Amino acid sequence: MPEEIIPSPLNETVAAVAAACPGLRRVHPHSIGVPGVTLADVRLDPKGTARYTWAGYEVLVTVGHEAHLDRDAPDSTALHREVRAQATLLLAQMVSQAAAMDSFGHVEWEMTDHRPELVFPAALAVATADTNDPRFASAVLATIAKALEFARIATGHAAVQAERAADEVRWESERPPGVRQAKWARDKRKEKAERDSATQASPAPTLPASADTGEEPLD
């Protein structure tokens, strides 16, 4: 009976990741002098790590040792590896902006982080233990793409939270004397929620029939 051939998912994964993250490339381990390095060429350093870069983000990949990771089949002898990918964003302007900020209080002296980074949630997955198996490379690339998607989602959440924090500061500056902070903030949050709800419920404006749209009116 012919041996069953398990199709490799690597080509499909490479196509999907390349479409989602065009220009994603490995920057460590380096492939100096190796022509034609492609996204499918997944490599790790002796410590089981790799770094990728895309659109200003850097993704650190860490691959664990062989282990029995199938918790649903405790008697299984199959070995797997945990893949962890975490995206960071270097905030190049943070140093100059922080230097221009007023101090919030006494310190002996201030210090500057010369490589400020925004760290996003890590993506985790399980891969086959054989690092030469195309399925392993597929799992690494898929986890990298998931980490970058986490970065996109987290950025949206952070922007909303930053707006809320700015509202809290503004409301506090407007609080009349004698009004409790908790009540004032609660009322302001309610007002904002009602405004947002009314804005979302408002229908989009439509042009009147006589508006100049560049088309002849219908009889």
Side-chain angles (χ1 to χ4, degrees):
M1 187 174 181
E3 182 180 355
E4 180 182 1
I5 299 177
I6 301 176
S8 168
L10 182 55
N11 292 339
E12 182 178 346
T13 301
V14 167
V17 173
C21 312
L24 175 70
R25 62 188 179 90
R26 173 166 48 84
V27 293
H28 174 80
H30 298 287
S31 297
I32 301 176
V34 180
V37 175
T38 66
L39 200 57
D41 182 25
V42 173
R43 296 187 184 184
L44 306 171
D45 65 14
K47 295 181 179 180
T49 66
R51 288 200 315 273
Y52 285 73
T53 183
W54 178 70
Y57 295 98
E58 187 174 278
V59 182
L60 174 63
V61 179
T62 306
V63 177
H65 299 291
E66 295 180 351
H68 297 282
L69 298 178
D70 191 350
R71 304 292 187 263
D72 295 330
D75 297 331
S76 173
T77 59
L79 296 175
H80 297 88
R81 296 178 188 268
E82 181 180 279
V83 180
R84 185 180 191 272
Q86 187 165 33
T88 60
L89 179 63
L90 180 63
L91 306 177
Q93 298 180 347
M94 188 71 182
V95 174
S96 59
Q97 291 176 343
M101 291 174 58
D102 293 333
S103 175
F104 289 99
H106 171 77
V107 295
E108 297 304 320
W109 62 82
E110 293 185 349
M111 301 179 69
T112 302
D113 181 358
H114 293 284
R115 188 178 170 81
E117 291 180 327
L118 189 60
V119 181
F120 298 97
L124 300 169
V126 173
T128 182
D130 184 0
T131 57
N132 295 314
D133 191 319
R135 292 175 298 171
F136 174 81
S138 174
V140 170
L141 292 175
T143 309
I144 292 171
K146 180 66 70 67
L148 289 167
E149 182 67 7
F150 282 178
R152 184 190 67 79
I153 295 171
T155 299
H157 285 296
V160 171
Q161 188 60 40
E163 183 180 354
R164 289 175 180 170
D167 285 340
E168 297 281 342
V169 173
R170 178 170 54 81
W171 294 336
E172 177 61 18
S173 69
E174 299 170 349
R175 179 166 61 94
V179 178
R180 288 189 302 110
Q181 182 184 34
K183 181 181 185 305
W184 179 256
R186 185 170 58 250
D187 291 344
K188 286 296 182 179
R189 293 189 199 109
K190 182 179 179 181
E191 290 175 9
K192 185 177 187 303
E194 291 173 349
R195 286 197 306 271
D196 292 345
S197 178
T199 300
Q200 294 174 2
S202 299
T206 57
L207 289 174
S210 59
D212 183 9
T213 61
E215 299 180 357
E216 293 295 328
L218 298 175
D219 294 332

mmCIF file of all heavy atoms in Angstrom, residues 60 63 68 153 169 174:
data_model
loop_
_atom_site.group_PDB
_atom_site.id
_atom_site.type_symbol
_atom_site.label_atom_id
_atom_site.label_comp_id
_atom_site.label_asym_id
_atom_site.label_seq_id
_atom_site.Cartn_x
_atom_site.Cartn_y
_atom_site.Cartn_z
ATOM 1 N N LEU A 60 10.118 39.314 17.359
ATOM 2 C CA LEU A 60 11.044 38.344 17.933
ATOM 3 C C LEU A 60 10.346 36.993 18.004
ATOM 4 O O LEU A 60 9.274 36.867 18.591
ATOM 5 C CB LEU A 60 11.484 38.776 19.329
ATOM 6 C CG LEU A 60 12.347 37.766 20.103
ATOM 7 C CD1 LEU A 60 13.667 37.522 19.385
ATOM 8 C CD2 LEU A 60 12.589 38.231 21.523
ATOM 9 N N VAL A 63 11.490 29.759 19.748
ATOM 10 C CA VAL A 63 10.999 28.393 19.590
ATOM 11 C C VAL A 63 11.527 27.548 20.737
ATOM 12 O O VAL A 63 12.724 27.554 21.031
ATOM 13 C CB VAL A 63 11.435 27.805 18.235
ATOM 14 C CG1 VAL A 63 10.981 26.341 18.125
ATOM 15 C CG2 VAL A 63 10.856 28.618 17.090
ATOM 16 N N HIS A 68 6.329 17.065 24.973
ATOM 17 C CA HIS A 68 4.994 16.502 24.781
ATOM 18 C C HIS A 68 3.991 17.600 25.137
ATOM 19 O O HIS A 68 3.729 17.863 26.301
ATOM 20 C CB HIS A 68 4.800 15.275 25.677
ATOM 21 C CG HIS A 68 5.727 14.143 25.366
ATOM 22 N ND1 HIS A 68 5.534 13.282 24.302
ATOM 23 C CD2 HIS A 68 6.875 13.745 25.964
ATOM 24 C CE1 HIS A 68 6.500 12.399 24.264
ATOM 25 N NE2 HIS A 68 7.339 12.654 25.266
ATOM 26 N N ILE A 153 -4.440 45.279 16.206
ATOM 27 C CA ILE A 153 -5.619 45.340 17.067
ATOM 28 C C ILE A 153 -5.302 46.118 18.348
ATOM 29 O O ILE A 153 -6.091 46.961 18.792
ATOM 30 C CB ILE A 153 -6.105 43.922 17.398
ATOM 31 C CG1 ILE A 153 -6.590 43.220 16.120
ATOM 32 C CG2 ILE A 153 -7.223 43.954 18.436
ATOM 33 C CD1 ILE A 153 -6.895 41.750 16.318
ATOM 34 N N VAL A 169 -8.625 63.939 31.760
ATOM 35 C CA VAL A 169 -7.811 65.088 32.156
ATOM 36 C C VAL A 169 -8.550 66.393 31.864
ATOM 37 O O VAL A 169 -8.591 67.314 32.688
ATOM 38 C CB VAL A 169 -6.455 65.055 31.424
ATOM 39 C CG1 VAL A 169 -5.663 66.337 31.707
ATOM 40 C CG2 VAL A 169 -5.648 63.839 31.859
ATOM 41 N N GLU A 174 -12.128 71.057 33.957
ATOM 42 C CA GLU A 174 -13.379 71.821 33.843
ATOM 43 C C GLU A 174 -14.288 71.640 35.065
ATOM 44 O O GLU A 174 -15.347 72.262 35.130
ATOM 45 C CB GLU A 174 -14.137 71.366 32.590
ATOM 46 C CG GLU A 174 -13.383 71.595 31.273
ATOM 47 C CD GLU A 174 -14.057 70.924 30.102
ATOM 48 O OE1 GLU A 174 -14.992 70.113 30.336
ATOM 49 O OE2 GLU A 174 -13.655 71.180 28.947
#
